[in-house]
Amino acid sequence: MTENSSQRPDSRGPNAAAPADLPTQYAPAEVEEELYERWVARGWFEADAKSDKQPYTIVIPPPNVTGSLHLGHAFQHTLMDALTRRKRMQGYESLWLPGMDHAGIATQNKVEQQLAEEGKSRQDLGREAFVERVWQWKEEYGGKILGQMRRLGDGVDWTRERFTMDEGLSRAVQTVFKQMYDDGLIYRAERIINWCPRCLTAISDIEVEYQEDDGELVSIRYGGGDGEDDSVVVATTRAETMLGDTAVAVHPDDQRYAHLLGRHIKLPLTDRTIPVVADEHVDPEFGSGAVKVTPAHDPNDFAIGQRHGLPALTVMDERGVITAHGPFEGLDRFEARSSIVAALREQGRITAEKRPYTHSVGHCSRCKTTIEPRLSMQWWVGVGPLAQAAGDAVRDGRVKIHPAEMSARYFDWVDNMLDWCISRQLWWGHRIPVWYGPDGEVRCLGPDEQPPTGEGWTQDPDVLDTWFSSGLWPFSTLGWPEQTQDLAKFYPTDVLLTGHDIIFFWVARMMMFGLYAMDGTAPFHTIALTGLVRDDHGKKMSKSNPNSVDPLDWMNAYGADAVRFTLTSGANPGADVPIGEDWVKASRNFANKIWNATRFALMNGATVQGPLPQASELGATDRWILSRLNSVVAEVDGHYDDYQFAKLSDALRHFAWDEVFDWYVELSKTTFAVGGRPAEVSRRVLGEVLDVMLRLLHPLVPFVTESLWTTLTGGESVVVTSWPADSGFRDVAAEQEIATLQDAVTEVRRFRADQGLQPGQRVPARLSLTGSPLASHEDAMRQLLRLQPEGEGFHATASLPVAGGTVELDLSGVIDVDAERKRLTKDLDSAEKELRQTTAKLGNEGFLAKAPDHVVEKIRERRSTAESDIARLQQQLDRLPTA
RNA sequence: GGGCGCAUAGCUCAGCGGUAGAGCGCUUGCCUUACAAGCAAGAUGUCACUGGUUCGAUCCCAGUUGUGCCCACCA
């Protein structure tokens, strides 16, 4: 783009009293930061717990301190910001509470990586120093997120910023833990858990990501040591676990192995023999129908072991290194796997090998290491009654899920939830408030209780799953367990807006904890679920993908408003949101268009002062735009109530650009030129329309609207002004009249374009509007169509149909007969087609008998329109001079 | 293996039992005194396929194919 408008000579007329402070292009970067700091300094985002206003509360899904905000955050933040800004304008005590999550395992991993670069481990530092180091890290990097939120324009209450490791929130964690422990909902048990051999901690079931990996499936012959009849083939993808086998299981009805039941067979590579047991879990159709049982290293095997009283033999340590005595001791699990297979092969015990064998393997969602199921003593939440309550709250309608289809996913989870492993063998997080005494005594402490003194008492070294504290977020952030004013005023919150990817991690847990700790009051009444942000070809955006975009880059290039508007435009409920740079540019263009339209209004003395003129003083265009304006207010409100952000964005863009800017503003130019009372009225109406429009747009694009609204109205800030209300004013007649005008102008423009007439070329012409509803718009039409008063020597006539009549346009000069014939013929063809279709339809008895009246009537109208069009077009064709 | 969803213009997506829509892109003509980040006009679709219901199906039903996501889990 080499062209730069500022370098062109300014050809504006002398009447253009352009405000010197309003350049022809909107420059977001120059104003956004200043505006934001002003909003914060004035305290407009701060909610008052003592106010009489009705509260409206959203707590932010706390971003992890580990990262920076990506477009997904920008997306959700924009929607939450829009919701809370609108409610604030509507007169609610609107609170959007910000904060961050300590993100236990994720953050610990980051800091450990940092240490590794220094050649150190967390063990080198020791627990206390390591935790101190993580706090430093949090101070340093947490600020980046806050800066991004400011840049985006998030209207959050910074005085209420929270962090899940804050003292107050930690008290909440300990209080809930103690209460649940006393209620028997938290217990300690030794079970198979998902163990990450790299993070060296247990993780919960949903922190495991399954993916298809290429492995191997080897079939091993067990038994057969003394007699030929006791051998059985089992298959495994984890051959190393055979060292811990304590049985072979077969289906109880499987006749092939009936003779082996109760007998012991030799376990290869060991000096042990193991029993053959019968268990329903075994699928006789799968493989050989016999399965090796390793209770200490597989969840299903553990269950079989429990049913048959089998011993659980641990053969690997926490790093996945073989501990079983023998030739494989000290080998890593994957080395051991190939060594063991090789050894078995040598002994002739391998009956089949399938390689590669693609199967689903669990990985640590944090570091992608292959999970090792491991028998371990951990703390658990017994979720039964909590999950039941969480499901019921949605089932009985106390909590609504948007879009409703997503509730199936929620129910699927809460109705089948297994107990939740909450202890983590990490250092960063809330320490489990349990102490063990010298005599095996166990004591769970509340926040105000002193740790037991005396020899031999030690605290449990583990910390809680990070989602334990985020599950308390809707009330812990408001001061619970203290009965604070905030809690009384703002709990329960109104809407939870978050991605559908954390329904299980976070949403369900907040439901459980909220209902449990807050006496059955759910933490929010609406769950609004969003999709993921994708690139402009629908591909998933992730940090590892090259398509990943830092929202800051786009905000710097095009403004925060442009990014925000693009995101809301794509926000269909629950659906993924594609975004591309071209679309952000288009939104930037929209912001600039608003800027310039307002600039035009200011140059022409649009005003917001004083009451609107009486209806009797309003012209048809004024009544039309005010009618439309109020319809749009109602429409936007409806879309907000349904969380239809894409629809409300479209409605506003369409109204602003296609109606206000392209028509009302253009028509007003003629009015202003003529002057007098109509011009005064129009200035006031234009001011009104822009005032309301800017307020409607503000929650989506806060910066440009703030700049313009304060300039236009002289008001202090659009942030604290009122949300527009539908006055109820509608004028159907005016809307129809303007629609007719638009049709007429468009039709003439089309005629001109087909004729190859230059748009700027003033054409001598006669407009015959007598008796037409458009008579009063003649000046405007001449302006829009660039027609001069009558010239001389008319040669040709164009007769243009519009709703309710015909516009006769006589052009001087020689028109292009071929072009005109082509145009008329084309129109004639489509009119004839229309006639055929409607006639056929009206000749259909079934249609006449069963179709609703208004449909039949509509078809009749279409047919008669087609008939008259054909007659007129035919006549015009006949009138054309032959070449 | 179970569940949910999707298939509409070149791209990304709305829509919907009664003449197919938007944004971007594309074509043509324009700096028309708010804006070239703009204005005007225009082109483009067997609404995945096959059946069924209906006076009428892009829309409802069944099946097919393709595709996405979630859950379970494969010894």
Side-chain angles (χ1 to χ4, degrees), chain A residues 765-767 778-789:
Chain A
R766 178 167 57 84
L767 269 179
E778 185 167 337
D779 286 342
M781 289 187 69
R782 285 190 176 282
Q783 164 67 21
L784 291 170
L785 296 169
R786 321 247 169 251
L787 302 177
Q788 274 183 2

Side-chain angles (χ1 to χ4, degrees), chain A residues 36-48 88 93-94 155-160 716 719-720:
Chain A
Y36 188 81
E37 294 311 323
R38 180 166 174 269
W39 293 333
V40 173
R42 299 292 167 94
W44 287 331
F45 300 143
E46 291 169 28
D48 180 4
R88 186 176 296 116
E93 195 60 44
S94 192
V156 294
D157 184 347
W158 291 111
T159 66
R160 286 182 168 84
E716 187 176 23
V719 172
V720 288

Side-chain angles (χ1 to χ4, degrees), chain A residues 629-649:
Chain A
L629 178 70
N630 282 288
S631 300
V632 170
V633 170
E635 189 182 354
V636 165
D637 279 333
H639 290 327
Y640 265 110
D641 292 341
D642 296 336
Y643 304 94
Q644 292 275 10
F645 290 94
K647 286 194 170 61
L648 79 89
S649 302

Side-chain angles (χ1 to χ4, degrees), chain A residues 51-187:
Chain A
S51 96
D52 297 331
K53 297 176 179 175
Q54 203 180 328
Y56 182 81
T57 316
I58 294 181
V59 290
I60 206 166
N64 291 354
V65 283
T66 46
S68 54
L69 300 188
H70 49 71
L71 278 167
H73 292 110
F75 172 51
Q76 292 174 10
H77 285 205
T78 299
L79 303 190
M80 284 184 273
D81 196 37
L83 290 173
T84 49
R85 280 178 186 268
R86 168 170 173 264
K87 285 289 178 181
R88 186 176 296 116
M89 292 170 76
Q90 283 184 322
Y92 286 76
E93 195 60 44
S94 192
L95 169 62
W96 184 16
L97 188 147
M100 284 185 286
D101 196 303
H102 70 282
I105 189 170
T107 311
Q108 173 157 334
N109 281 352
K110 285 269 183 185
V111 176
E112 282 192 274
Q113 275 168 29
Q114 204 180 41
L115 282 176
E117 285 164 21
E118 301 167 16
K120 286 187 256 179
S121 72
R122 72 176 206 243
Q123 286 79 8
D124 294 338
L125 267 69
R127 184 162 188 156
E128 203 171 322
F130 178 78
V131 170
E132 183 52 37
R133 175 87 182 228
V134 183
W135 275 106
Q136 282 172 22
W137 197 93
K138 181 257 173 187
E139 294 306 323
E140 196 176 340
Y141 290 90
K144 185 176 179 188
I145 290 171
L146 305 181
Q148 285 177 305
M149 290 172 63
R150 290 170 177 270
R151 188 74 187 75
L152 192 63
D154 288 357
V156 294
D157 184 347
W158 291 111
T159 66
R160 286 182 168 84
E161 187 195 338
R162 298 287 185 267
F163 182 54
T164 47
M165 292 275 282
D166 281 350
E167 192 187 335
L169 275 73
S170 299
R171 283 180 67 83
V173 166
Q174 198 171 344
T175 304
V176 167
F177 188 99
K178 165 81 171 161
Q179 197 178 330
M180 292 176 73
Y181 179 85
D182 291 344
D183 285 350
L185 290 170
I186 286 182
Y187 61 89

Side-chain angles (χ1 to χ4, degrees), chain A residues 232-544:
Chain A
V232 52
V233 172
V234 297
T236 180
T237 54
R238 294 159 66 214
E240 70 280 12
T241 61
M242 68 158 293
L243 299 175
D245 284 2
T246 53
V248 167
V250 297
H251 193 272
D253 300 336
D254 195 334
Q255 290 310 311
R256 293 172 295 178
Y257 301 112
H259 64 290
L260 287 175
L261 286 178
R263 288 178 60 178
H264 279 62
I265 59 173
K266 179 168 168 38
L267 182 63
L269 303 181
T270 70
D271 50 13
R272 293 191 288 121
T273 61
I274 52 175
V276 176
V277 299
D279 195 282
E280 298 276 354
H281 166 77
V282 180
D283 177 6
E285 305 295 320
F286 189 96
S288 65
V291 56
K292 61 192 276 305
V293 181
T294 323
H297 293 281
D298 183 275
N300 290 321
D301 293 4
F302 181 75
I304 295 175
Q306 293 275 292
R307 288 194 284 271
H308 298 277
L310 300 171
L313 211 60
T314 298
V315 296
M316 255 181 268
D317 69 8
E318 68 276 8
R319 292 176 191 275
V321 173
I322 302 294
T323 55
H325 293 305
F328 308 104
E329 189 175 359
L331 289 181
D332 169 78
R333 52 186 167 152
F334 299 115
E335 296 166 355
R337 185 175 302 171
S338 45
S339 298
I340 285 171
V341 171
L344 289 167
R345 198 183 292 124
E346 212 166 288
Q347 295 184 8
R349 289 209 169 254
I350 302 290
T351 60
E353 293 182 61
K354 208 178 201 177
R355 195 179 290 113
Y357 179 73
T358 305
H359 63 135
S360 161
V361 177
H363 296 261
C364 172
S365 62
R366 282 297 150 195
C367 71
K368 312 305 172 196
T369 301
T370 302
I371 287 299
E372 196 61 43
R374 191 159 191 269
L375 186 60
S376 175
M377 181 69 86
Q378 302 287 345
W379 286 95
W380 302 82
V381 169
V383 296
L386 304 173
Q388 177 72 40
D392 288 346
V394 175
R395 257 185 290 273
D396 64 23
R398 275 176 291 156
V399 177
K400 295 200 169 19
I401 294 182
H402 279 269
E405 303 89 81
M406 284 288 176
S407 44
R409 202 175 284 190
Y410 176 83
F411 290 132
D412 181 47
W413 169 250
V414 296
D415 293 344
N416 300 293
M417 203 186 304
L418 299 174
D419 281 0
W420 172 20
C421 176
I422 52 170
S423 46
R424 297 289 180 276
Q425 288 64 53
L426 303 169
W427 288 351
W428 175 243
H430 300 96
R431 187 105 174 236
I432 288 174
V434 173
W435 293 71
Y436 305 107
D439 306 320
E441 213 179 336
V442 176
R443 202 179 290 173
C444 177
L445 300 182
D448 294 317
E449 295 178 84
Q450 292 302 313
T453 51
E455 278 297 304
W457 281 92
T458 53
Q459 186 175 4
D460 192 301
D462 292 350
V463 300
L464 288 167
D465 181 3
T466 201
W467 296 101
F468 193 97
S469 54
S470 24
L472 315 180
W473 189 250
F475 50 93
S476 65
T477 51
L478 294 171
W480 190 91
E482 312 307 322
Q483 292 304 311
T484 60
Q485 276 187 326
D486 272 10
L487 194 65
K489 179 81 177 175
F490 298 112
Y491 190 91
T493 71
D494 287 89
V495 178
L496 176 80
L497 192 147
T498 193
H500 62 65
D501 54 331
I502 53 175
I503 293 175
F504 310 143
F505 283 107
W506 194 44
V507 179
R509 267 100 181 243
M510 280 191 290
M511 289 289 286
M512 295 195 301
F513 282 130
L515 291 163
Y516 172 74
M518 300 300 290
D519 300 321
T521 307
F524 21 74
H525 58 65
T526 299
I527 298 168
L529 295 166
T530 70
L532 275 44
V533 172
R534 295 175 175 272
D535 74 8
D536 50 2
H537 283 83
K539 291 220 167 60
K540 197 171 172 177
M541 266 200 197
S542 64
K543 280 173 204 158
S544 49

